[in-house]
Amino acid sequence: MLLKPPLSLNFRFSPQTSIFRARNSRNSRMAPPILSLALPSNTGRALSIQSHTVQGYVGNKSAVFPLQLLGYDVDPINSVQFSNHTGYPTFKGQVLNGQQLWDLIEGLEGNDLLFYTHLLTGYIGSESFLNTVLQVVSKLRSTNPGLSYVRDPVMGVEGKLYVPQELVSVYREKVVPVASMLTPNQFEAELLTGFRIQSEGHGREACRLLHAAGPSKVIITSINIDGILLLIGSHQKEKGEPPRQFKIVIPKIPAYFTGTGDLMTALLLGWSNKYPDNLEIAAELAVSSLQAVLHRTLSDYKSAGHDPESTSLEIRLIQSQDDICTPQVKLKAEIYS
């Protein structure tokens, strides 16, 4: 089943933000127009603040290309720049601090380039940088109050915390309330709600608790219940109303892949904006794309004579672009009554 995105726009540019020329250039009257603003795409203009690796696909390397394939103008800010992901024996590179991030935002603001329809953020390892990201959210919404903030609250998995303990309370008290869509895994949803998820019902309740704290869209991307892997999604269209909730049963693949969470959140952003009132359709498309990427990755490693269960695998993103643009939906959402 192939689904094509509708042609309608889901955002508007206001007169106050329709400045398309860089005002601080040496000769402002000769400055070229900023085409991503003057001729915006049918989908939106996204700012993605995530990690970057020279080799491999994690963070921005895993998120920017799929969003561009889905029609978005994407401006990446690399929170780190490493030679490769940290799962290798060694890595080298640089880490952006909060002041350096703010310098980039001020540079964009100084040239009237801060109009974005979406902000996407992933792993953040320090409280100071996370607080600066929250300032960025406020700054972007002062330019476009309708900004959608999609947040993957990367903190850990299966009981193992990746970030300092003090970041958990920052996420819970400051990040969740300003997020538009949240994409935690099971462990992260538990950290954010203080609620143990041991059943589908618990997963649905965790979504409701997160709605009450802020975001209208919540997708717990992976929940393991009695050996069955589920995605549970929830969309509360109006505060105080019961959310529309659904699940997708996801087949397990006997391998460990890097960059999948970053890719999944980017796909959810991409498709949910095309189907703003049908989060379950967006999730079906995102899951279907991700599954196709993983199966291609697994097949290619086997073709190269590598045991896919012996190491983590770098996803085959470029080779899977057709599956990103036009995924074949094989895993359907089941709506909870």
Side-chain angles (χ1 to χ4, degrees), residues 77-133:
I77 292 180
N78 298 326
S79 57
V80 306
Q81 178 167 265
F82 288 162
S83 55
N84 43 265
H85 70 69
T86 57
Y88 282 86
T90 64
F91 67 93
K92 290 189 176 183
Q94 301 81 38
V95 178
L96 198 71
N97 63 39
Q99 183 57 55
Q100 291 167 328
L101 169 61
W102 195 248
D103 287 344
L104 294 172
I105 296 300
E106 287 186 327
L108 291 168
E109 183 180 31
N111 291 293
D112 298 305
L113 300 175
L114 267 190
F115 188 94
Y116 291 98
T117 58
H118 297 80
L119 172 65
L120 172 63
T121 61
Y123 173 77
I124 293 172
S126 76
E127 185 174 354
S128 62
F129 196 88
L130 183 54
N131 282 323
T132 304
V133 168

Side-chain angles (χ1 to χ4, degrees), residues 209-220:
L209 291 172
L210 290 169
H211 285 315
S216 62
K217 296 178 180 179
V218 177
I219 295 183
I220 304 179

